[in-house]
Amino acid sequence: MILSRYTLKNIPGDVASVPDEAIFELPEKVLQFGTGVLLRGLPDYFIDKANRAGLFNGRVVVVKSTTHGDTRDFDRQDGLYTLCIRGFEDGRKVDELQVNASISRVLSAGEQWEEILECAHNADMQIIISNTTEVGIELVQDDIRHHPPKSFPGKLLAFLYERFRAFEGSAVSGMVIVPTELIPDNGSKLQSIVLELAHLNGLEDTFIEWLETNNHFCNSLVDRIVPGRPEAADSAQLQEATGYSDKLLTVAEVYRLWAIEGDEHVRSVLSFSGADAGVVITPDIGVYRELKLRVLNGTHTLSCGLAFLAGCETVKEAMDDEAVATFIADLMQVEIAPAIPYNLDPALAADFGRKVLDRFANPFLKHQWLSITMNYSSKMKMRCLPLLREHYRRQGSVPELMTLGFAAYLRFMKAVELIDGKYYGELAGERYHIQDDQAPVFFRRWAGLSVPALVRDVLRDSFWGVSLYDLPGFADAVTDKLNSILHNGVRESLEAQPIKKVNVA
């Protein structure tokens, strides 16, 4: 049995949560650029949840912008897909299956552009969502009269221009536009590109005024791990348990956050926000960006080398290892949270940290530490240096755990072989790939410098934008911890930490 609107009645309620038949009659309110799993696992999840609660009452028209793949699975399944939500929430194990009915249809930009433009004539259409990857939000010389324009901003501008003409520039016909691409100020950047394209295309001043005045481009931040389709064995097991086949089966963790910058008008249009506390609409999402960047990403970066060197392949394995788990929890709660360079409520940071620890312990996700080490140096610079400097500004002392994490980074970057242009380190007789643009520099350093000289050379490198060598006691502490890792191993170095342990429960 294939999942579809007409086979829903055959799915027992104790197997999966299925939508009511009335949802299929709801009007189309959202135009979504992108068919990817992040959109299915986050925005479409919120919309489906709100529809079930009678709070939004609208469905999504999805635009497939790329030439890769096709829409046949969506067509065959009437836009339905199963969202498998797995993980921990407040210490409780969650394993749920939900049949999502938020998508009404999927249209190909290359083949159905006229149908997409026709959506601009729909008075119910109020919202545009996108996830076209970070490359999608870039200015490209584009003619919006092409069918379709080649870039995402070009397609968006063409749609908005069609809407302006369809409703004769009325104020109420403006849209709320929420990009989810993972770049800072994504809404503001998209707006500036669309406005520039409007000028380049010679569009009339009345349209540009309508574009600026009656449309709301919202910066947003998304945070949910959505691996997508499970591994073959797990997928087969789920099909046997549910009794139906779903080519669009999507796995997501429990945690979800969609922080959107907006006012009361935006809140009223995005009425699905009332169905789940994971949607946050606020005038400034900076605090959520900092929490994710520092508490989640910063902890990942300062832990990945150490956890990998301790023999933990995945994040879950690290959380099952008492010594490494304690380091991660202490690093996050004792050093990182108080050093976030942003004015925030400590209770908010503590609550966010507890949720991150739940996410790290998710037994259903196999998040490889080695994949987290990709672009290690640039991540260390962007995510962790502000924490390090803020710690010194506030505490005036050496942050012992950040220092150990930094020392583990230096040890991980010890490239010992260059093969076919790739640099490799060695751990317990096994090679590992160092995927970092600083790998050639570290290869030379480790080949010709003593540990104190190497630490000094790294800390004084202009790569950081500041001299880390000038931070009081930092160079000596990194040198000592790096020597300890090299001579005693990671576990002995962990046990040497004097930090007071915190409760990770």
Side-chain angles (χ1 to χ4, degrees):
M1 181 174 70
I2 297 174
L3 177 65
S4 72
R5 177 177 178 177
Y6 301 102
T7 57
L8 282 177
K9 62 181 179 295
N10 299 322
I11 302 173
D14 59 346
V15 170
S17 173
V18 299
D20 188 85
E21 181 68 22
I23 287 179
F24 293 97
E25 306 306 321
L26 295 177
E28 295 172 338
K29 289 186 176 181
V30 183
L31 187 72
Q32 174 178 296
F33 286 87
T35 61
V37 295
L38 186 279
L39 291 170
R40 301 207 300 268
L42 197 64
D44 297 343
Y45 161 82
F46 289 128
I47 291 169
D48 182 71
K49 185 174 182 180
N51 284 341
R52 291 171 185 246
L55 292 178
F56 182 63
N57 299 322
R59 301 184 78 202
V60 182
V61 178
V62 174
V63 177
K64 180 182 175 297
S65 296
T66 66
T67 57
H68 304 298
D70 54 49
T71 65
R72 281 180 293 183
D73 288 333
F74 288 97
D75 298 338
R76 190 179 297 116
Q77 297 182 189
D78 300 312
L80 297 172
Y81 64 92
T82 308
L83 188 64
C84 179
I85 302 173
R86 292 176 158 181
F88 283 100
E89 187 171 42
D90 299 326
R92 177 180 63 90
K93 185 178 179 180
V94 176
D95 191 356
E96 300 174 351
L97 293 175
Q98 300 176 358
V99 177
N100 189 297
S102 62
I103 296 174
S104 63
R105 52 184 172 146
V106 179
L107 301 175
S108 168
E111 300 171 4
Q112 297 167 292
W113 185 241
E114 288 298 334
E115 290 181 57
I116 293 167
L117 290 180
E118 188 62 30
C119 292
H121 295 252
N122 176 4
D124 290 318
M125 190 70 67
Q126 297 176 296
I127 303 164
I128 296 175
I129 301 170
S130 72
N131 192 287
T132 56
T133 77
E134 296 71 46
V135 179
I137 301 185
E138 287 187 352
L139 178 62
V140 175
Q141 290 285 351
D142 207 350
D143 187 343
I144 68 163
R145 296 165 184 84
H146 285 165
H147 281 64
K150 58 186 176 183
S151 68
F152 161 58
K155 293 181 179 71
L156 175 59
L157 177 59
F159 181 88
L160 293 173
Y161 188 58
E162 183 76 15
R163 188 166 182 83
F164 169 78
R165 293 193 299 174
F167 291 94
E168 299 179 343
S170 67
V172 295
S173 64
M175 307 287 288
V176 172
I177 300 144
V178 191
T180 66
E181 288 80 358
L182 295 176
I183 57 175
D185 301 321
N186 45 19
S188 300
K189 184 174 181 182
L190 179 59
Q191 181 180 28
S192 67
I193 293 172
V194 169
L195 283 169
E196 188 166 351
L197 272 179
H199 287 288
L200 291 173
N201 278 267
L203 302 181
E204 56 264 42
D205 291 342
T206 51
F207 167 71
I208 293 174
E209 182 181 357
W210 175 85
L211 183 61
E212 290 185 294
T213 305
N214 301 121
N215 294 271
H216 299 260
F217 288 78
C218 304
N219 296 321
S220 87
L221 173 73
V222 291
D223 189 6
R224 190 177 210 178
I225 298 173
V226 187
R229 192 165 181 81
E231 295 178 355
D234 200 11
S235 183
Q237 185 179 23
L238 283 169
Q239 180 173 335
E240 182 178 355
T242 59
Y244 64 84
S245 171
D246 180 359
K247 295 290 186 180
L248 300 172
L249 176 66
T250 304
V251 176
E253 67 170 335
V254 181
Y255 180 83
R256 65 271 183 199
L257 172 67
W258 192 10
I260 303 168
E261 279 187 357
D263 55 17
E264 287 307 312
H265 170 73
V266 169
R267 186 186 303 278
S268 67
V269 174
L270 305 183
S271 57
F272 56 77
S273 62
D276 195 293
V279 185
V280 178
I281 300 175
T282 178
D284 181 10
I285 62 171
V287 62
Y288 297 99
R289 184 182 297 114
E290 282 295 313
L291 284 170
K292 180 185 178 186
L293 185 63
R294 311 305 175 191
V295 177
L296 173 62
N297 301 141
T299 301
H300 261 162
T301 301
L302 280 165
S303 302
C304 61
L306 182 138
F308 178 80
L309 295 170
C312 301
E313 290 189 10
T314 67
V315 175
K316 176 61 169 64
E317 285 182 24
M319 299 308 293
D320 290 336
D321 184 302
E322 183 178 0
V324 181
T326 300
F327 168 83
I328 290 172
D330 288 354
L331 171 70
M332 179 190 298
Q333 298 174 324
V334 177
E335 290 190 355
I336 288 180
I340 296 174
Y342 198 92
N343 184 21
L344 54 80
D345 182 355
L348 180 63
D351 179 65
F352 189 87
R354 284 191 292 270
K355 291 176 179 176
V356 169
L357 291 175
D358 270 351
R359 300 171 73 183
F360 285 2
N362 190 338
F364 299 106
L365 297 180
K366 297 180 180 180
H367 202 174
Q368 302 285 328
W369 284 115
L370 194 58
S371 67
I372 297 173
T373 65
M374 189 179 298
N375 302 316
Y376 205 162
S377 298
S378 62
K379 289 177 180 176
M380 186 70 74
K381 177 181 178 180
M382 181 180 70
R383 300 171 175 179
C384 306
L385 253 60
L387 291 167
L388 180 61
R389 298 178 70 187
E390 188 67 11
H391 175 92
Y392 268 97
R393 190 185 73 80
R394 295 183 183 183
Q395 308 293 336
S397 61
V398 176
E400 296 294 335
L401 297 176
M402 290 189 203
T403 305
L404 181 58
F406 195 90
Y409 153 68
L410 299 184
R411 166 59 185 87
F412 178 89
M413 295 295 292
K414 184 178 180 181
V416 296
E417 282 188 296
L418 172 60
I419 303 174
D420 296 330
K422 297 179 180 180
Y423 292 87
Y424 294 88
E426 184 177 304
L427 177 66
E430 298 289 331
R431 290 187 311 188
Y432 59 86
H433 187 193
I434 302 174
Q435 300 183 71
D436 190 294
D437 58 8
Q438 293 294 303
V441 181
F442 276 91
F443 186 59
R444 292 191 294 271
R445 283 173 176 148
W446 278 105
L449 297 175
S450 64
V451 168
L454 181 141
V455 170
R456 182 169 59 250
D457 192 64
V458 171
L459 299 187
R460 285 177 171 173
D461 195 324
S462 61
F463 169 82
W464 307 111
V466 294
S467 174
L468 301 183
Y469 193 75
D470 295 335
L471 296 174
F474 188 64
D476 288 341
V478 171
T479 302
D480 289 345
K481 288 178 169 55
L482 181 54
N483 273 322
S484 175
I485 291 172
L486 291 170
H487 298 134
N488 305 317
V490 167
R491 296 196 171 276
E492 290 79 358
S493 301
L494 282 170
E495 292 171 1
Q497 293 309 308
I499 294 293
K500 179 181 179 181
K501 302 296 181 255
V502 296
N503 182 8
V504 301

